[in-house]
Amino acid sequence: MRVSRWLILTYALIILVGLSAALPNLLTPGQRAALPGWLPSKPVTLGLDLRGGSQLVLEVDASALLNDPRLTEAERAERLNAALTQSLEIVRTRIDQIGVAEPSVQRVGDDRIMVQLPGVQDPARIRTLLGSTAKLGFHMLADPPAPGTRPAPGTLLLPMQDERDGSGAPRKLAVQAQPALDGDRLADAHAGFDPRSGEPVVNFRFDEAGARRFAEITTQNVGRPFAIVLDGRILSAPVIREPITGGAGQISGRFSVAEAGVLSALLRAGALPAPLRVIEERSVGPDLGGDAIRAGIIAGLAGFALVCGFMVVLYRGWGMIANLALLLNVALTLGALSALGATLTLPGIAGIILGLGLAVDANVLINERIREETRRGRAARAALDAGFKRAYATIVDSNVTSLIATLLLFQFGSGPVRGFAVTMALGILISMFTAVTVVRIVMTRILDRRGALRSSTARLEIEPLIRLLPKGDTRIRFMRARFAGIAVSAVLSLASIGLFISPGLNYGVDFKGGIQIEAATHADPGRLRDRLDGLGLGEITLQQTGSDGVLVRVARQPGDDAAQTIAVERLKAAIRNVDPAAGIERVDVVGAKVSGELATAGVLAVVLAGLAMMVYIWWRFEWPFAVGAIATLVLDVTKTIGFFALTGIDFNLTAIAALLTLIGYSVNDKVVVYDRMRENLRLHRTLSLREMIDLSINQTLGRSLYTSATAFLAMLPLAIWGGSAVESFAVPMVFGIVVAASSSVFIAAPILLFLGEPMRRRSRSAMTVEEPATATTG
C-alpha cells in the first residue's frame, strides 16, 4: 500500500500549522513578541482556576420590567432582551473604568451576565460596583412624620448610608418622592479629595440643561438641606449655603478611596435598566492557581511517561511510533486550544491527561489486530492493511460514544467543566488523525524501506518487550463465572445504594448552595471550629484537604447579596484570627437557584448520556447489545456513586464530569467486545452463543486489559498529586476504570448471553432459508 505524496504533504502541512499554533505556549512573552507577524503568537488562555481571579454571575431582576399583564410573550422577551443588552454594555463600561486587566463580560442565557476578572482576589468591591443600579437623584427634604405615623403622600423615608440612630439602625430622613433633579443629567463624575478636610469625595458636573436646573434649585432653596440619593439610600444631606451656578458639585459621605472610585465609576457608566443580583461568586487565589499548574504539569509528565513506557513494553519499537503520535496529539490539542481562543482550565488539564490514556486506545486496537492477522499467516502488507481496516470501525464506534458523553457535558456543564469537555472533544478528534493516519504512514514507510511490503513472505512481527499475556489466543471460559460475576456486581450495587441513603453523598456547594472557603492553614481544627461556631452563621462544616488545608462550608445567609459578602468577610477574619498566616485560596458563593439548576442539569446530563449510548448501540448493533450496555452502565454508575459516599469525596460539578466520562469510557470498552461478537456471529455460525461470546472476549482480552491499563496509568498520577481541586474527578476515574474493565466481561457479556439466544436462532433460521434459495437460482 502506497500513500500519495500529495496526501503526505497535506498531512505534513496540517501538522506544521498545528505545531506553529502550539509553539507560543513554550515561549516567554519576550520571545513571543519577537516572532514574525505571520506566525501565531497567542498562547492558550488560562482559566481563573489556574491564574487566579474572580468570577461573578449576575441575573437581571426583571420583575419591574415585566409586571404589566398586557404584555405578550414576544413583548416580554423583547423587553428582557433589551434590558440585558443594555446591562451588558453598562457592566462592561463599569469594569473598564476601574482598570481591571483583561476582563471578560459575556451574556449567559436569556437573563444572566458572567463577569471574569483575572487577578481580582476580593470581589466585594466589584460586587458593589455591579450590583448597584446607580440611580442617582437630588431630592429636597420634607417634614418628618410624627412618631408612629406614615409619611405624608408624596414623601419617602429613606435610610442614611453612614449614619445610625441610638438602636444601631440606619437613621432615616423624609424626602420628597419626586426628585428635583435626576442623575441622568450628569456629564462627568470622578473621585477626588476635599481641599479642606482631605477626605475622599466624588466631584460631578452636569450637562447644560442639568446645570441650569441645578442653579435654579440651589438659588430657590438657600439655607435648606437637600438629599443626594443613590439606589434608595441617602449618601449625604448637605445644606445649600449659596446658589451653585457653575453646574458642578461634590458628593461627600465618609468614603474610602476605593468607595469613591466605585461611586464615580457607577455615575459615569449610567444607571442599569433593572437591578442585577449576584447569584454566583467564585474567587481563586494566585498561589492556588500556581500550585494547580505545577501539580497538573507533574501529573501530566508522570502519566505521559507511564503510558509511553507501557507502550514500549507492549510493542517495542512499534510502541515508540504510538508514543510519537501521542506526543503529537498533545501538541496539536494545545495548538487547537490556542487557535480557537479556548480557555484551559484545571479540569481541562485533567482532560488532556485522561486523553493520554484514551488516545493510545486506537494504537492498541491496531497493533493487536495486526498481531492477530500475522498469527493467521498473512504477509506484512496484508496484515497491515487488514489490521487498520478492521480496527477502524471499532475505533470510530468507541470514539463516538466518548464524544456523546463529552458533548452532553459541554451542554449541561458550566465554567471549568466546559473547559474539560472542550479539551476532551479536541483530544478525541485529533487522536483519530494522529493515531490512525500518521501512525499508518510511518509504519508503511518503515516497512517499505525494509522491503517488507514488496515481499509475499515477509511478516510484520509486533513482539512485546515483556510478555504480559500468553502467546497466541487464550481460551478462558469466562461465561462459566457469569452467575458469580452478576451476583457480586448486584451485591456491590445494592451496597452502594445503601451508602447513598446513609451516610449519603458529601454534596459540594455547587449542589447545596451557600458559602465555601478553602484556606491554607496549620490551625488546630478544634480551635478553628469553636471560633467559627461563635459567629452565629448557622451550621459550620470543616473538612481537611491535605496536610495544610481546610474547607469551610456554611449555608447561604438570609438576606441579599450584601449579607453573603458580610458573612464571607467574617469567616475570613475568623480564620485569620486563629492563624494570622492563613491564606485564603478559594471562595465560592452559590445561590439556591443556581445550585438547584446545576443539580437538575447534572442529573439530566447523566440520564441523557445513558439513553444516548443505548440508542447508538441499538442502531449500530441490535437491541440485546443495547440492553446489556445500559444495564451495565447503571451498575457501573451505581458503584461509582457508592464510592463517592464511602470516601466522602466532594460530589460537585467535577464529579458529574467524572460520571459522564466514565459512561463514555465504559461504553467505549464494551463496544470493542461487541464489535468482535458481531463479527464472529457472521464468521462462526455453528458455534453456540456462549462459545462465541467466550471466543470474542478472549480475542479482545489483550486490547481490553491494555487500554484499561493505559487509562489507569494516565490518571493515577493525577489522583495522587492533582490536589483537592481535581480530586472529585481523578480519584473516582481510577476506581471507575477498574469497574468498567471488569463489567465488560462479567456483566455485559452474560446479559447478552441471556438475551441473545433468540437473536442467534433468527440468524440460523435466516441462514437455513437462504441456502436452498441460493442453490435453486444457481
Side-chain angles (χ1 to χ4, degrees):
M1 179 198 69
R2 287 189 171 274
V3 182
S4 164
R5 289 184 179 273
W6 287 108
L7 195 59
I8 293 177
L9 287 174
T10 301
Y11 292 156
L13 181 62
I14 292 172
I15 293 172
L16 184 62
V17 171
L19 294 179
S20 298
L23 178 63
N25 295 287
L26 303 177
L27 304 179
T28 65
Q31 292 171 330
R32 289 197 293 266
L35 289 173
W38 51 271
L39 273 179
S41 59
K42 186 178 179 180
V44 65
T45 303
L46 297 180
L48 294 183
D49 55 348
L50 294 178
R51 58 175 169 167
S54 297
Q55 173 182 300
L56 298 99
V57 177
L58 312 164
E59 184 178 61
V60 176
D61 183 3
S63 56
L65 298 172
L66 307 178
N67 60 1
D68 187 347
R70 291 170 298 172
L71 291 174
T72 65
E73 286 300 320
E75 290 171 335
R76 292 167 67 89
E78 182 180 356
R79 184 172 292 190
L80 181 59
N81 180 68
L84 186 64
T85 302
Q86 184 181 352
S87 299
L88 190 71
E89 294 306 315
I90 292 174
V91 167
R92 186 174 286 118
T93 300
R94 291 181 181 182
I95 293 294
D96 289 341
Q97 290 183 352
I98 61 172
V100 176
E102 300 181 14
S104 171
V105 181
Q106 56 186 327
R107 178 172 180 164
V108 180
D110 295 330
D111 60 351
R112 292 178 185 178
I113 298 171
M114 184 172 68
V115 181
Q116 292 184 325
L117 307 167
V120 176
Q121 310 306 325
D122 187 358
R125 180 167 61 100
I126 306 297
R127 177 194 281 270
T128 302
L129 175 70
L130 301 181
S132 174
T133 56
K135 185 173 181 60
L136 184 71
F138 298 86
H139 298 247
M140 300 307 301
L141 263 63
D143 294 331
T149 63
R150 293 184 177 182
T155 64
L156 298 172
L157 271 180
L158 297 181
M160 296 287 292
Q161 176 79 17
D162 295 306
E163 292 188 26
R164 299 188 177 274
D165 57 24
S167 65
R171 180 188 169 206
K172 294 184 177 181
L173 294 179
V175 301
Q176 294 179 3
Q178 184 66 32
L181 180 60
D182 284 325
D184 57 6
R185 287 299 181 183
L186 286 177
D188 185 31
H190 60 275
F193 294 93
D194 189 300
R196 293 166 295 183
S197 65
E199 293 181 348
V201 295
V202 175
N203 298 304
F204 62 86
R205 179 172 53 82
F206 290 108
D207 60 16
E208 185 176 348
R212 288 197 302 268
R213 177 58 181 155
F214 195 56
E216 293 174 3
I217 295 170
T218 54
T219 299
Q220 296 169 5
N221 294 280
V222 172
R224 293 182 58 191
F226 75 107
I228 302 173
V229 179
L230 177 70
D231 292 343
R233 286 182 173 270
I234 300 174
L235 297 178
S236 60
V239 175
I240 301 173
R241 303 295 182 187
E242 58 187 10
I244 303 175
T245 57
Q250 184 183 92
I251 302 174
S252 59
R254 300 179 184 175
F255 303 127
S256 65
V257 174
E259 290 169 341
V262 168
L263 177 56
S264 62
L266 285 170
L267 298 180
R268 286 196 303 272
L272 290 166
L276 291 177
R277 295 185 291 111
V278 180
I279 59 173
E280 183 180 351
E281 173 189 320
R282 302 179 189 268
S283 62
V284 178
D287 293 340
L288 185 61
D291 291 344
I293 294 175
R294 285 189 293 274
I297 292 174
I298 292 172
L301 291 176
F304 185 82
L306 288 173
V307 171
C308 288
F310 190 67
M311 292 299 288
V312 172
V313 168
L314 291 180
Y315 307 119
R316 295 199 180 198
W318 300 112
M320 291 302 298
I321 298 174
N323 293 338
L324 173 65
L326 190 62
L327 182 62
L328 189 60
N329 176 274
V330 175
L332 293 182
T333 300
L334 285 176
L337 289 171
S338 299
L340 294 173
T343 300
L344 181 64
T345 62
L346 184 55
I349 292 179
I352 293 177
I353 294 173
L354 177 60
L356 295 176
L358 299 183
V360 296
D361 176 48
N363 294 120
V364 171
L365 271 171
I366 291 167
N367 286 332
E368 290 300 312
R369 198 74 201 221
I370 291 173
R371 275 180 175 174
E372 191 175 331
E373 299 300 325
T374 301
R375 286 197 298 269
R376 291 176 179 173
R378 290 181 180 267
R381 177 188 291 274
L384 183 69
D385 289 347
F388 274 93
K389 181 179 179 181
R390 294 187 175 181
Y392 188 73
T394 307
I395 293 170
V396 170
D397 280 337
S398 60
N399 282 334
V400 166
T401 57
S402 297
L403 277 174
I404 289 172
T406 303
L407 292 176
L408 285 169
L409 186 59
F410 181 83
Q411 177 66 32
F412 292 99
S414 64
V417 175
R418 278 196 164 191
F420 167 81
V422 170
T423 305
M424 276 293 294
L426 287 174
I428 291 169
L429 294 173
I430 292 172
S431 73
M432 294 287 290
F433 171 70
T434 58
V436 178
T437 304
V438 173
V439 169
R440 183 167 188 168
I441 290 175
V442 174
M443 291 183 74
T444 301
R445 298 289 291 180
I446 291 174
L447 292 173
D448 194 32
R449 286 180 176 273
R450 293 177 180 177
L453 296 183
R454 294 184 294 275
S455 171
S456 60
T457 58
R459 292 167 65 83
L460 175 50
E461 300 288 350
I462 301 180
E463 291 297 324
L465 188 64
I466 300 173
R467 191 170 298 280
L468 302 179
L469 289 176
K471 190 172 184 178
D473 293 333
T474 57
R475 287 178 168 79
I476 304 172
R477 296 183 178 181
F478 289 102
M479 290 302 95
R480 281 186 172 181
R482 61 189 183 277
F483 295 111
I486 292 178
V488 170
S489 178
V491 169
L492 291 176
S493 292
L494 289 173
S496 296
I497 293 173
L499 289 170
F500 174 74
I501 297 172
S502 179
L505 297 176
N506 181 24
Y507 291 104
V509 70
D510 292 335
F511 296 147
K512 289 182 67 176
I515 300 169
Q516 178 173 287
I517 297 179
E518 184 176 346
T521 175
H522 294 282
D524 176 68
R527 186 178 168 214
L528 182 59
R529 180 181 294 279
D530 291 342
R531 182 70 181 86
L532 295 175
D533 286 341
L535 298 177
L537 299 177
E539 182 180 356
I540 301 286
T541 302
L542 290 185
Q543 180 181 335
Q544 293 293 130
T545 57
S547 59
D548 60 348
V550 64
L551 205 62
V552 180
R553 289 199 190 99
V554 62
R556 185 173 176 85
Q557 301 300 296
D560 56 9
D561 300 333
Q564 314 313 313
T565 300
I566 293 171
V568 168
E569 295 305 316
R570 292 180 66 192
L571 288 166
K572 288 181 182 179
I575 294 170
R576 290 183 173 128
N577 182 268
V578 176
D579 179 9
I584 304 301
E585 305 283 8
R586 184 193 302 269
V587 177
D588 296 331
V589 181
V590 179
K593 183 177 181 180
V594 172
S595 62
E597 291 172 350
L598 293 177
T600 302
V603 172
L604 187 61
V606 172
V607 172
L608 288 179
L611 293 176
M613 300 298 173
M614 183 177 70
V615 170
Y616 182 78
I617 292 177
W618 197 326
W619 172 63
R620 289 291 289 140
F621 300 92
E622 290 190 51
W623 72 266
F625 292 91
V627 173
I630 198 67
T632 310
L633 278 183
V634 171
L635 294 173
D636 288 352
V637 170
T638 303
K639 294 184 189 72
T640 307
I641 291 177
F643 178 80
F644 273 104
L646 182 65
T647 58
I649 295 174
D650 260 13
F651 194 80
N652 48 29
L653 280 178
T654 310
I656 294 294
L659 288 179
L660 285 173
T661 306
L662 280 171
I663 287 174
Y665 176 81
S666 179
V667 175
N668 177 311
D669 194 69
K670 288 156 186 61
V671 160
V672 176
V673 182
Y674 281 176
D675 188 71
R676 184 58 64 94
M677 290 177 183
R678 178 175 58 181
E679 181 180 335
N680 286 332
L681 279 170
R682 296 193 300 265
L683 296 176
H684 304 284
R685 294 180 181 271
T686 59
L687 291 179
S688 69
L689 185 58
R690 176 176 171 177
E691 292 172 327
M692 188 275 299
I693 290 175
D694 275 338
L695 174 64
S696 301
I697 295 174
N698 279 284
Q699 288 175 338
T700 58
L701 183 61
R703 178 267 166 197
S704 297
L705 291 177
Y706 299 156
T707 301
S708 298
T710 55
F712 182 88
L713 292 173
M715 290 305 299
L716 186 61
L718 189 66
I720 296 173
W721 295 306
S724 60
V726 292
E727 180 186 49
S728 297
F729 178 84
V731 177
M733 275 300 301
V734 170
F735 171 82
I737 288 168
V738 176
V739 170
S742 60
S743 67
S744 297
V745 175
F746 298 108
I747 308 299
I751 292 175
L752 182 61
L753 177 59
F754 297 148
L755 299 176
E757 281 296 348
M759 175 186 67
R760 184 65 164 165
R761 286 195 293 269
R762 286 197 307 272
S763 177
R764 287 177 173 174
S765 300
M767 179 182 67
T768 304
V769 171
E770 183 181 352
E771 286 175 351
T774 304
T776 302
T777 57

